[in-house]
Amino acid sequence: MSRLKRCLLALGLLTLLLLTLRLWPHAALREAAPLSRLVLAENGELLRMTLAADGQYRLWRPLERIAPAMIEAQLLKEDRYFYWHPGVDPSALLRATLATYGGGMRQGGSTLSMQLTRRLYGINSRSIPGKLQQILLALWLEARHSKHDILEAYLNLAPMGGNIEGVEAASRIYFGKSAQQLSLSEALALAVIPQQPGRGRFGPALQQARLQLMAKWRQEHTDDPRNEGLLELPLTARTRQQLAFRAPHLSEQLLASREGDELHSTLDLRLQRRLEQLIRQFVSDHRRQGVRNATAILVDSRDQAVKALVGSADYFNASIHGQVNGVHASRSPGSTLKPFLYGLALDQGLIQPMSILKDTPQAFGAFQPENFDGRFAGPLTAQDALIRSRNVPAVWLASQLRQPSLHGLLQRADIRGLRGEEHYGLALALGGGELTPAELAKLYLMLAGDGQMHSLRWTREDESQVGPQLLSPQAAFMVRDMLRHNPRPDGLPADARGRNWPVAWKTGTSWGFHDAWSAGLVGPYVLVVWVGNFDATPNPAFVGIRTAAPLFFRIADALPLALPEVQPTADRPPEGLSRVEVCTASGELPNRWCPQTRKTWYIPGVSPIRVSDLHRPVWVDRQTGNAACPPYDKATSELQVFEFWPTELQRLFAAAGLPRRTPPDLPSACKPIQTLDERDTPRFTSPLTQVTYSLRLSQPSELIQLSANAANDARTLFWFADQTLLGQSTPQQGLSWRPEHSGKFQLRVSDDLGRSSSRTLRVEFLP
């Protein structure tokens, strides 16, 4: 075999050996040492950096996420021929040997690969045997790993002073930024630290070394425009004692619940700082009232991201158990659950916002609920009952609910720690259960999201999981609209300064004054505030409207100022919701004698709607004040309108100092005027009976005419199909209607005097 062939064979075998070494499975260099963990804010700012298991600050970043200037500066300082040697630079070793043992100043001839082996294997390279071992291991390292991986490992493991290793950890600690964001001046400073790791902070010696490396840089990069900058100015570096320690409760939560060495939260530092400041100031201002602790969570309803979380008023205050994350502590929510009870009642057709509910003494079996103020308000609208947090109407609604009940809604919302429904009974409507501020925020997020449940997003990588539809979009909108009428606790107008966001909010107070809550929607954000003690010590000051609501509005008023770029959109009603005029006093369609009306939202086919009969006319004798008998003489009697309230409500009005006129009793000898003659009821003229009306799908303009003859004293007719209000008309005009589907409909027409009649209609659609 010729010499050439032998050489080629040897070269092939060597290549095969090197390829085998490279491809043979081996541990990645990233696994050489334990790593610290980072928690970052939404914008990448550092919230927390932990120590690695060995007590070092050490982070691993891919080479592609390190500033090119840092890589070039390190190679220029330590190993400019890194990409050309096999792990050992013979010329550098020779030069270092001659200088060290020839009586000159001691020099190092180690390449980056050799320095990395010293770090990985703990070699003492100051002795000749140690240096030889270092050389052999560097060759072995180069055979096993690529240049890319070796350089990446060196930059992540190089000593950077004290217990700091790697350029990412050093950059975060010294300059408060990632290694990807390093400037040239900062990169040059970090590049000289590995050879002087014990010199401490950026003192004169290290500054001098940086200037020397800067001179080399300018020689190598003569055309770099950065050379014209003020690179010679001393750098100011931070210390480990100045390392960021922000949002400690959220940081600890993520570190405990998530894997990975870099956790990118959704936290907005502007909002986090603002909430922390407002809570500290609020606690300080109310310390005389015994207020020592509070929590808050702020969620963006547009993407379900948690933007701020304050787990306690002072993380470092052991006397209030400040390190406990109160946002995840289960507490009694008080009346903050009532909006969801009312939402269910709206969906199940029990009420519409202007329906009249009775706040009167009532017993539900052995349960006799009372209001917080110990009084009863009598009749009031569902909207007022909700925003005034009246307990009796809430318990009555809870007793009327079908499935799902409030307990069923909370179960579907995945509220943890919920006991069986029989354990709470109707008291659940008043906050008898327990949930966390984070869970309550999720419920109000559902309210903001048109009744659709979503999970909270804690990190940038989280995807909000879509949960069940707990309320219809129509009911969710109506509840939001009702809560927006809740007046501010300070008595100021809703937008006193002309720049406040719309607020839909509710308070809650637990039994025994253990917890004060305020929760709601502020523009596009969900805000939940809790005030109390983690050890459940009661305090009469812990009342939602007195304590939690003022803190809630401090935050609510601060949000538009902190986020001037955010412009909340109008809350538009969803499809399937209608607006109708109702009698103010009764909440029903106004009859002829209703003196005042107002508009309300209602869900056609679901919301209860009928013509009011609260106001009725009575002929009254002018002399006696008693009801007159027919025939009526206008000279001695007059027609007066009275409100016919039930006796129990009449008593409540009188007790409240607001007595209503009592309708006069009718003499037994005369027939009451309220007994309406059946001949005066509206009589259908269209549609006809026993006729099936056919409509063509291809002709959407085909309509069914609804008309009726009415008495001369009727001015308005109200038209219904089953329970759906179709519209209103005058007796002369009638109404045109096109059903949405084939089938049988029960039509009803009522006049504004309360008289009505009905008729069955059959409709079929043809192609």
Side-chain angles (χ1 to χ4, degrees), residues 352 356 581-597 609-617 641-645 676 718 720 748 750-755:
Q352 39 88 359
I356 298 299
E581 196 102 11
V582 295
C583 184
T584 301
S586 66
E588 298 169 336
L589 294 173
N591 64 8
R592 171 75 58 79
W593 302 285
C594 175
Q596 188 176 7
T597 62
I609 199 79
R610 69 185 186 91
V611 179
S612 174
D613 62 356
L614 176 65
H615 299 89
R616 306 176 203 169
V641 176
F642 291 85
E643 295 179 358
F644 282 75
W645 293 104
L676 301 175
F718 299 95
F720 300 85
R748 179 164 55 91
S750 299
D751 64 19
D752 54 355
L753 298 176
R755 300 167 295 205

mmCIF file of all heavy atoms in Angstrom, residues 352 356 581-597 609-617 641-645 676 718 720 748 750-755:
data_model
loop_
_atom_site.group_PDB
_atom_site.id
_atom_site.type_symbol
_atom_site.label_atom_id
_atom_site.label_comp_id
_atom_site.label_asym_id
_atom_site.label_seq_id
_atom_site.Cartn_x
_atom_site.Cartn_y
_atom_site.Cartn_z
ATOM 1 N N GLN A 352 -87.010 41.195 34.799
ATOM 2 C CA GLN A 352 -86.226 42.068 33.935
ATOM 3 C C GLN A 352 -85.771 43.229 34.837
ATOM 4 O O GLN A 352 -86.225 43.323 35.982
ATOM 5 C CB GLN A 352 -87.023 42.519 32.704
ATOM 6 C CG GLN A 352 -88.481 42.833 32.943
ATOM 7 C CD GLN A 352 -88.746 44.260 33.366
ATOM 8 O OE1 GLN A 352 -87.838 45.054 33.508
ATOM 9 N NE2 GLN A 352 -90.013 44.582 33.589
ATOM 10 N N ILE A 356 -90.597 44.737 39.653
ATOM 11 C CA ILE A 356 -90.733 45.150 41.044
ATOM 12 C C ILE A 356 -90.598 43.924 41.950
ATOM 13 O O ILE A 356 -91.303 42.924 41.783
ATOM 14 C CB ILE A 356 -92.085 45.848 41.288
ATOM 15 C CG1 ILE A 356 -92.163 47.114 40.434
ATOM 16 C CG2 ILE A 356 -92.242 46.198 42.758
ATOM 17 C CD1 ILE A 356 -91.085 48.149 40.733
ATOM 18 N N GLU A 581 -90.718 50.418 26.901
ATOM 19 C CA GLU A 581 -91.160 51.397 27.890
ATOM 20 C C GLU A 581 -92.056 50.704 28.904
ATOM 21 O O GLU A 581 -92.989 49.978 28.535
ATOM 22 C CB GLU A 581 -91.945 52.507 27.185
ATOM 23 C CG GLU A 581 -92.121 53.752 28.003
ATOM 24 C CD GLU A 581 -91.160 54.848 27.569
ATOM 25 O OE1 GLU A 581 -90.531 54.698 26.518
ATOM 26 O OE2 GLU A 581 -91.062 55.843 28.292
ATOM 27 N N VAL A 582 -91.769 50.896 30.191
ATOM 28 C CA VAL A 582 -92.577 50.290 31.241
ATOM 29 C C VAL A 582 -93.011 51.366 32.225
ATOM 30 O O VAL A 582 -92.431 52.449 32.296
ATOM 31 C CB VAL A 582 -91.803 49.182 31.989
ATOM 32 C CG1 VAL A 582 -91.497 48.020 31.083
ATOM 33 C CG2 VAL A 582 -90.536 49.738 32.630
ATOM 34 N N CYS A 583 -94.019 51.043 32.986
ATOM 35 C CA CYS A 583 -94.498 51.948 34.037
ATOM 36 C C CYS A 583 -93.460 51.976 35.162
ATOM 37 O O CYS A 583 -93.022 50.920 35.641
ATOM 38 C CB CYS A 583 -95.843 51.462 34.553
ATOM 39 S SG CYS A 583 -96.589 52.568 35.777
ATOM 40 N N THR A 584 -93.063 53.147 35.575
ATOM 41 C CA THR A 584 -92.006 53.273 36.575
ATOM 42 C C THR A 584 -92.374 52.587 37.878
ATOM 43 O O THR A 584 -91.540 51.918 38.499
ATOM 44 C CB THR A 584 -91.709 54.763 36.836
ATOM 45 O OG1 THR A 584 -91.300 55.376 35.611
ATOM 46 C CG2 THR A 584 -90.622 54.929 37.874
ATOM 47 N N ALA A 585 -93.609 52.735 38.312
ATOM 48 C CA ALA A 585 -94.006 52.208 39.620
ATOM 49 C C ALA A 585 -94.156 50.703 39.632
ATOM 50 O O ALA A 585 -93.869 50.054 40.638
ATOM 51 C CB ALA A 585 -95.310 52.861 40.071
ATOM 52 N N SER A 586 -94.601 50.099 38.525
ATOM 53 C CA SER A 586 -94.891 48.666 38.513
ATOM 54 C C SER A 586 -93.869 47.851 37.736
ATOM 55 O O SER A 586 -93.801 46.630 37.905
ATOM 56 C CB SER A 586 -96.280 48.419 37.916
ATOM 57 O OG SER A 586 -96.288 48.780 36.534
ATOM 58 N N GLY A 587 -93.097 48.491 36.867
ATOM 59 C CA GLY A 587 -92.144 47.760 36.053
ATOM 60 C C GLY A 587 -92.783 46.966 34.935
ATOM 61 O O GLY A 587 -92.133 46.137 34.310
ATOM 62 N N GLU A 588 -94.057 47.207 34.646
ATOM 63 C CA GLU A 588 -94.786 46.486 33.608
ATOM 64 C C GLU A 588 -95.210 47.459 32.511
ATOM 65 O O GLU A 588 -95.055 48.677 32.656
ATOM 66 C CB GLU A 588 -95.994 45.788 34.221
ATOM 67 C CG GLU A 588 -95.593 44.759 35.270
ATOM 68 C CD GLU A 588 -96.773 44.251 36.069
ATOM 69 O OE1 GLU A 588 -97.789 44.969 36.164
ATOM 70 O OE2 GLU A 588 -96.683 43.137 36.611
ATOM 71 N N LEU A 589 -95.743 46.920 31.438
ATOM 72 C CA LEU A 589 -96.175 47.780 30.342
ATOM 73 C C LEU A 589 -97.199 48.789 30.850
ATOM 74 O O LEU A 589 -98.110 48.425 31.598
ATOM 75 C CB LEU A 589 -96.786 46.937 29.222
ATOM 76 C CG LEU A 589 -95.809 45.989 28.504
ATOM 77 C CD1 LEU A 589 -96.565 45.090 27.530
ATOM 78 C CD2 LEU A 589 -94.736 46.775 27.766
ATOM 79 N N PRO A 590 -97.058 50.040 30.498
ATOM 80 C CA PRO A 590 -97.923 51.073 31.091
ATOM 81 C C PRO A 590 -99.370 50.963 30.597
ATOM 82 O O PRO A 590 -99.618 50.821 29.402
ATOM 83 C CB PRO A 590 -97.273 52.377 30.627
ATOM 84 C CG PRO A 590 -96.536 52.016 29.376
ATOM 85 C CD PRO A 590 -96.074 50.603 29.546
ATOM 86 N N ASN A 591 -100.289 51.020 31.552
ATOM 87 C CA ASN A 591 -101.684 51.142 31.144
ATOM 88 C C ASN A 591 -102.021 52.631 30.989
ATOM 89 O O ASN A 591 -101.156 53.499 31.099
ATOM 90 C CB ASN A 591 -102.620 50.435 32.134
ATOM 91 C CG ASN A 591 -102.591 51.081 33.518
ATOM 92 O OD1 ASN A 591 -101.997 52.133 33.722
ATOM 93 N ND2 ASN A 591 -103.249 50.442 34.473
ATOM 94 N N ARG A 592 -103.296 52.912 30.738
ATOM 95 C CA ARG A 592 -103.719 54.281 30.462
ATOM 96 C C ARG A 592 -103.377 55.240 31.598
ATOM 97 O O ARG A 592 -103.051 56.403 31.376
ATOM 98 C CB ARG A 592 -105.231 54.307 30.236
ATOM 99 C CG ARG A 592 -105.867 55.701 30.147
ATOM 100 C CD ARG A 592 -105.566 56.357 28.812
ATOM 101 N NE ARG A 592 -106.038 55.523 27.745
ATOM 102 C CZ ARG A 592 -107.317 55.437 27.356
ATOM 103 N NH1 ARG A 592 -108.237 56.173 27.935
ATOM 104 N NH2 ARG A 592 -107.666 54.651 26.360
ATOM 105 N N TRP A 593 -103.411 54.761 32.838
ATOM 106 C CA TRP A 593 -103.338 55.670 33.975
ATOM 107 C C TRP A 593 -101.952 55.741 34.616
ATOM 108 O O TRP A 593 -101.793 56.395 35.633
ATOM 109 C CB TRP A 593 -104.375 55.243 35.020
ATOM 110 C CG TRP A 593 -105.754 55.241 34.435
ATOM 111 C CD1 TRP A 593 -106.528 56.327 34.151
ATOM 112 C CD2 TRP A 593 -106.491 54.102 34.024
ATOM 113 N NE1 TRP A 593 -107.711 55.945 33.598
ATOM 114 C CE2 TRP A 593 -107.729 54.567 33.500
ATOM 115 C CE3 TRP A 593 -106.261 52.722 34.030
ATOM 116 C CZ2 TRP A 593 -108.700 53.710 33.010
ATOM 117 C CZ3 TRP A 593 -107.218 51.870 33.550
ATOM 118 C CH2 TRP A 593 -108.437 52.365 33.031
ATOM 119 N N CYS A 594 -100.993 55.053 34.037
ATOM 120 C CA CYS A 594 -99.631 55.116 34.587
ATOM 121 C C CYS A 594 -99.084 56.527 34.386
ATOM 122 O O CYS A 594 -98.986 57.008 33.253
ATOM 123 C CB CYS A 594 -98.725 54.092 33.910
ATOM 124 S SG CYS A 594 -97.005 54.198 34.437
ATOM 125 N N PRO A 595 -98.676 57.239 35.458
ATOM 126 C CA PRO A 595 -98.271 58.633 35.306
ATOM 127 C C PRO A 595 -96.847 58.822 34.818
ATOM 128 O O PRO A 595 -96.491 59.884 34.326
ATOM 129 C CB PRO A 595 -98.418 59.189 36.729
ATOM 130 C CG PRO A 595 -98.159 58.011 37.612
ATOM 131 C CD PRO A 595 -98.702 56.815 36.883
ATOM 132 N N GLN A 596 -95.997 57.797 34.957
ATOM 133 C CA GLN A 596 -94.583 57.972 34.611
ATOM 134 C C GLN A 596 -94.031 56.662 34.070
ATOM 135 O O GLN A 596 -94.310 55.586 34.607
ATOM 136 C CB GLN A 596 -93.783 58.411 35.849
ATOM 137 C CG GLN A 596 -92.345 58.798 35.554
ATOM 138 C CD GLN A 596 -91.638 59.303 36.803
ATOM 139 O OE1 GLN A 596 -92.186 59.248 37.901
ATOM 140 N NE2 GLN A 596 -90.429 59.802 36.645
ATOM 141 N N THR A 597 -93.241 56.754 33.016
ATOM 142 C CA THR A 597 -92.661 55.555 32.410
ATOM 143 C C THR A 597 -91.147 55.689 32.335
ATOM 144 O O THR A 597 -90.581 56.778 32.455
ATOM 145 C CB THR A 597 -93.221 55.324 30.994
ATOM 146 O OG1 THR A 597 -92.860 56.439 30.161
ATOM 147 C CG2 THR A 597 -94.725 55.150 31.019
ATOM 148 N N ILE A 609 -93.337 40.013 30.949
ATOM 149 C CA ILE A 609 -93.845 41.305 30.469
ATOM 150 C C ILE A 609 -95.359 41.214 30.338
ATOM 151 O O ILE A 609 -95.885 40.273 29.753
ATOM 152 C CB ILE A 609 -93.178 41.695 29.119
ATOM 153 C CG1 ILE A 609 -93.318 43.183 28.845
ATOM 154 C CG2 ILE A 609 -93.646 40.844 27.983
ATOM 155 C CD1 ILE A 609 -92.331 44.012 29.603
ATOM 156 N N ARG A 610 -96.075 42.132 30.951
ATOM 157 C CA ARG A 610 -97.535 42.189 30.843
ATOM 158 C C ARG A 610 -97.965 43.628 31.100
ATOM 159 O O ARG A 610 -97.172 44.469 31.536
ATOM 160 C CB ARG A 610 -98.216 41.234 31.826
ATOM 161 C CG ARG A 610 -98.087 41.629 33.283
ATOM 162 C CD ARG A 610 -98.690 40.572 34.189
ATOM 163 N NE ARG A 610 -98.697 40.996 35.577
ATOM 164 C CZ ARG A 610 -99.704 41.643 36.165
ATOM 165 N NH1 ARG A 610 -100.806 41.947 35.467
ATOM 166 N NH2 ARG A 610 -99.640 41.992 37.434
ATOM 167 N N VAL A 611 -99.232 43.906 30.846
ATOM 168 C CA VAL A 611 -99.747 45.258 31.042
ATOM 169 C C VAL A 611 -100.014 45.475 32.527
ATOM 170 O O VAL A 611 -100.608 44.640 33.205
ATOM 171 C CB VAL A 611 -101.029 45.483 30.218
ATOM 172 C CG1 VAL A 611 -101.564 46.882 30.456
ATOM 173 C CG2 VAL A 611 -100.745 45.262 28.739
ATOM 174 N N SER A 612 -99.571 46.607 33.022
ATOM 175 C CA SER A 612 -99.706 46.926 34.445
ATOM 176 C C SER A 612 -101.168 47.169 34.829
ATOM 177 O O SER A 612 -101.935 47.763 34.059
ATOM 178 C CB SER A 612 -98.877 48.169 34.772
ATOM 179 O OG SER A 612 -99.100 48.587 36.099
ATOM 180 N N ASP A 613 -101.525 46.727 36.033
ATOM 181 C CA ASP A 613 -102.847 47.069 36.583
ATOM 182 C C ASP A 613 -102.698 47.729 37.951
ATOM 183 O O ASP A 613 -103.648 47.766 38.733
ATOM 184 C CB ASP A 613 -103.737 45.825 36.687
ATOM 185 C CG ASP A 613 -103.157 44.784 37.635
ATOM 186 O OD1 ASP A 613 -102.029 44.987 38.149
ATOM 187 O OD2 ASP A 613 -103.821 43.759 37.876
ATOM 188 N N LEU A 614 -101.506 48.261 38.232
ATOM 189 C CA LEU A 614 -101.284 48.918 39.519
ATOM 190 C C LEU A 614 -102.132 50.184 39.635
ATOM 191 O O LEU A 614 -102.748 50.446 40.669
ATOM 192 C CB LEU A 614 -99.798 49.251 39.685
ATOM 193 C CG LEU A 614 -99.424 50.034 40.943
ATOM 194 C CD1 LEU A 614 -99.694 49.207 42.195
ATOM 195 C CD2 LEU A 614 -97.951 50.456 40.892
ATOM 196 N N HIS A 615 -102.154 50.965 38.569
ATOM 197 C CA HIS A 615 -102.925 52.211 38.591
ATOM 198 C C HIS A 615 -104.327 51.945 38.019
ATOM 199 O O HIS A 615 -104.455 51.462 36.886
ATOM 200 C CB HIS A 615 -102.221 53.296 37.762
ATOM 201 C CG HIS A 615 -100.864 53.636 38.275
ATOM 202 N ND1 HIS A 615 -99.732 52.967 37.853
ATOM 203 C CD2 HIS A 615 -100.466 54.566 39.184
ATOM 204 C CE1 HIS A 615 -98.675 53.476 38.480
ATOM 205 N NE2 HIS A 615 -99.093 54.437 39.282
ATOM 206 N N ARG A 616 -105.336 52.285 38.827
ATOM 207 C CA ARG A 616 -106.712 52.035 38.393
ATOM 208 C C ARG A 616 -107.563 53.268 38.725
ATOM 209 O O ARG A 616 -107.342 53.937 39.750
ATOM 210 C CB ARG A 616 -107.303 50.813 39.100
ATOM 211 C CG ARG A 616 -106.463 49.554 38.959
ATOM 212 C CD ARG A 616 -107.053 48.423 39.760
ATOM 213 N NE ARG A 616 -106.063 47.420 40.089
ATOM 214 C CZ ARG A 616 -106.263 46.441 40.962
ATOM 215 N NH1 ARG A 616 -107.436 46.343 41.588
ATOM 216 N NH2 ARG A 616 -105.308 45.576 41.222
ATOM 217 N N PRO A 617 -108.557 53.543 37.878
ATOM 218 C CA PRO A 617 -109.430 54.712 38.128
ATOM 219 C C PRO A 617 -110.589 54.357 39.057
ATOM 220 O O PRO A 617 -111.118 53.246 39.018
ATOM 221 C CB PRO A 617 -109.928 55.056 36.734
ATOM 222 C CG PRO A 617 -109.975 53.728 36.038
ATOM 223 C CD PRO A 617 -108.855 52.903 36.594
ATOM 224 N N VAL A 641 -107.240 58.448 40.058
ATOM 225 C CA VAL A 641 -106.418 57.253 39.846
ATOM 226 C C VAL A 641 -105.684 56.921 41.138
ATOM 227 O O VAL A 641 -105.049 57.790 41.747
ATOM 228 C CB VAL A 641 -105.410 57.469 38.692
ATOM 229 C CG1 VAL A 641 -104.502 56.251 38.550
ATOM 230 C CG2 VAL A 641 -106.150 57.760 37.392
ATOM 231 N N PHE A 642 -105.765 55.658 41.550
ATOM 232 C CA PHE A 642 -105.118 55.190 42.765
ATOM 233 C C PHE A 642 -104.135 54.062 42.431
ATOM 234 O O PHE A 642 -104.291 53.357 41.425
ATOM 235 C CB PHE A 642 -106.156 54.680 43.770
ATOM 236 C CG PHE A 642 -107.017 55.751 44.351
ATOM 237 C CD1 PHE A 642 -108.165 56.178 43.688
ATOM 238 C CD2 PHE A 642 -106.683 56.351 45.562
ATOM 239 C CE1 PHE A 642 -108.967 57.167 44.219
ATOM 240 C CE2 PHE A 642 -107.488 57.344 46.099
ATOM 241 C CZ PHE A 642 -108.628 57.762 45.432
ATOM 242 N N GLU A 643 -103.143 53.898 43.298
ATOM 243 C CA GLU A 643 -102.229 52.766 43.208
ATOM 244 C C GLU A 643 -102.749 51.665 44.132
ATOM 245 O O GLU A 643 -102.899 51.883 45.329
ATOM 246 C CB GLU A 643 -100.808 53.172 43.626
ATOM 247 C CG GLU A 643 -100.160 54.187 42.694
ATOM 248 C CD GLU A 643 -98.763 54.572 43.164
ATOM 249 O OE1 GLU A 643 -98.331 54.073 44.221
ATOM 250 O OE2 GLU A 643 -98.112 55.373 42.474
ATOM 251 N N PHE A 644 -103.010 50.510 43.575
ATOM 252 C CA PHE A 644 -103.566 49.402 44.342
ATOM 253 C C PHE A 644 -102.434 48.479 44.800
ATOM 254 O O PHE A 644 -102.151 47.449 44.196
ATOM 255 C CB PHE A 644 -104.600 48.634 43.501
ATOM 256 C CG PHE A 644 -105.923 49.337 43.433
ATOM 257 C CD1 PHE A 644 -106.091 50.476 42.633
ATOM 258 C CD2 PHE A 644 -107.002 48.895 44.174
ATOM 259 C CE1 PHE A 644 -107.302 51.129 42.573
ATOM 260 C CE2 PHE A 644 -108.232 49.549 44.117
ATOM 261 C CZ PHE A 644 -108.376 50.675 43.319
ATOM 262 N N TRP A 645 -101.740 48.897 45.880
ATOM 263 C CA TRP A 645 -100.651 48.105 46.453
ATOM 264 C C TRP A 645 -101.222 47.073 47.414
ATOM 265 O O TRP A 645 -102.228 47.320 48.081
ATOM 266 C CB TRP A 645 -99.678 49.001 47.220
ATOM 267 C CG TRP A 645 -98.908 49.961 46.375
ATOM 268 C CD1 TRP A 645 -99.116 51.295 46.236
ATOM 269 C CD2 TRP A 645 -97.781 49.649 45.555
ATOM 270 N NE1 TRP A 645 -98.203 51.849 45.380
ATOM 271 C CE2 TRP A 645 -97.356 50.854 44.941
ATOM 272 C CE3 TRP A 645 -97.077 48.486 45.262
ATOM 273 C CZ2 TRP A 645 -96.277 50.921 44.070
ATOM 274 C CZ3 TRP A 645 -95.998 48.543 44.397
ATOM 275 C CH2 TRP A 645 -95.612 49.737 43.812
ATOM 276 N N LEU A 676 -114.455 45.079 34.450
ATOM 277 C CA LEU A 676 -114.523 45.480 33.054
ATOM 278 C C LEU A 676 -115.502 44.593 32.292
ATOM 279 O O LEU A 676 -115.540 43.371 32.471
ATOM 280 C CB LEU A 676 -113.131 45.393 32.426
ATOM 281 C CG LEU A 676 -112.063 46.272 33.097
ATOM 282 C CD1 LEU A 676 -110.710 45.994 32.470
ATOM 283 C CD2 LEU A 676 -112.425 47.733 32.969
ATOM 284 N N PHE A 718 -101.099 46.153 22.857
ATOM 285 C CA PHE A 718 -99.827 45.438 22.999
ATOM 286 C C PHE A 718 -100.024 44.031 22.458
ATOM 287 O O PHE A 718 -100.967 43.331 22.844
ATOM 288 C CB PHE A 718 -99.394 45.385 24.469
ATOM 289 C CG PHE A 718 -99.177 46.740 25.089
ATOM 290 C CD1 PHE A 718 -100.196 47.357 25.810
ATOM 291 C CD2 PHE A 718 -97.969 47.403 24.950
ATOM 292 C CE1 PHE A 718 -100.001 48.596 26.388
ATOM 293 C CE2 PHE A 718 -97.771 48.645 25.526
ATOM 294 C CZ PHE A 718 -98.783 49.252 26.242
ATOM 295 N N PHE A 720 -98.627 40.109 21.724
ATOM 296 C CA PHE A 720 -97.735 39.084 22.249
ATOM 297 C C PHE A 720 -97.883 37.816 21.415
ATOM 298 O O PHE A 720 -98.979 37.480 20.962
ATOM 299 C CB PHE A 720 -98.069 38.744 23.705
ATOM 300 C CG PHE A 720 -97.957 39.906 24.656
ATOM 301 C CD1 PHE A 720 -99.025 40.792 24.831
ATOM 302 C CD2 PHE A 720 -96.804 40.113 25.382
ATOM 303 C CE1 PHE A 720 -98.938 41.847 25.717
ATOM 304 C CE2 PHE A 720 -96.707 41.170 26.274
ATOM 305 C CZ PHE A 720 -97.764 42.043 26.434
ATOM 306 N N ARG A 748 -101.731 36.998 21.814
ATOM 307 C CA ARG A 748 -102.507 37.723 22.815
ATOM 308 C C ARG A 748 -102.416 39.206 22.512
ATOM 309 O O ARG A 748 -101.349 39.716 22.161
ATOM 310 C CB ARG A 748 -101.980 37.431 24.225
ATOM 311 C CG ARG A 748 -102.721 38.156 25.335
ATOM 312 C CD ARG A 748 -102.406 37.516 26.696
ATOM 313 N NE ARG A 748 -100.979 37.461 26.940
ATOM 314 C CZ ARG A 748 -100.281 38.425 27.566
ATOM 315 N NH1 ARG A 748 -100.917 39.513 27.978
ATOM 316 N NH2 ARG A 748 -98.993 38.290 27.779
ATOM 317 N N SER A 750 -103.484 42.964 24.288
ATOM 318 C CA SER A 750 -103.958 43.651 25.500
ATOM 319 C C SER A 750 -104.028 45.131 25.212
ATOM 320 O O SER A 750 -103.167 45.693 24.519
ATOM 321 C CB SER A 750 -103.008 43.396 26.673
ATOM 322 O OG SER A 750 -102.926 42.029 26.988
ATOM 323 N N ASP A 751 -105.073 45.784 25.759
ATOM 324 C CA ASP A 751 -105.129 47.232 25.600
ATOM 325 C C ASP A 751 -104.552 47.916 26.836
ATOM 326 O O ASP A 751 -104.166 47.255 27.811
ATOM 327 C CB ASP A 751 -106.556 47.702 25.307
ATOM 328 C CG ASP A 751 -107.523 47.439 26.446
ATOM 329 O OD1 ASP A 751 -107.057 47.236 27.587
ATOM 330 O OD2 ASP A 751 -108.748 47.437 26.225
ATOM 331 N N ASP A 752 -104.447 49.218 26.786
ATOM 332 C CA ASP A 752 -103.809 49.955 27.868
ATOM 333 C C ASP A 752 -104.715 50.126 29.080
ATOM 334 O O ASP A 752 -104.354 50.819 30.030
ATOM 335 C CB ASP A 752 -103.329 51.322 27.385
ATOM 336 C CG ASP A 752 -104.438 52.129 26.732
ATOM 337 O OD1 ASP A 752 -105.550 51.588 26.563
ATOM 338 O OD2 ASP A 752 -104.188 53.302 26.385
ATOM 339 N N LEU A 753 -105.875 49.455 29.069
ATOM 340 C CA LEU A 753 -106.743 49.434 30.239
ATOM 341 C C LEU A 753 -106.708 48.073 30.923
ATOM 342 O O LEU A 753 -107.475 47.814 31.844
ATOM 343 C CB LEU A 753 -108.180 49.786 29.838
ATOM 344 C CG LEU A 753 -108.358 51.196 29.249
ATOM 345 C CD1 LEU A 753 -109.784 51.401 28.799
ATOM 346 C CD2 LEU A 753 -107.960 52.247 30.260
ATOM 347 N N GLY A 754 -105.833 47.186 30.424
ATOM 348 C CA GLY A 754 -105.651 45.896 31.063
ATOM 349 C C GLY A 754 -106.523 44.788 30.521
ATOM 350 O O GLY A 754 -106.472 43.665 31.024
ATOM 351 N N ARG A 755 -107.333 45.054 29.493
ATOM 352 C CA ARG A 755 -108.203 44.026 28.938
ATOM 353 C C ARG A 755 -107.457 43.283 27.844
ATOM 354 O O ARG A 755 -106.683 43.877 27.081
ATOM 355 C CB ARG A 755 -109.479 44.667 28.385
ATOM 356 C CG ARG A 755 -110.271 45.420 29.449
ATOM 357 C CD ARG A 755 -111.349 46.297 28.869
ATOM 358 N NE ARG A 755 -110.832 47.392 28.052
ATOM 359 C CZ ARG A 755 -111.477 48.532 27.843
ATOM 360 N NH1 ARG A 755 -112.663 48.724 28.399
ATOM 361 N NH2 ARG A 755 -110.965 49.467 27.085
#
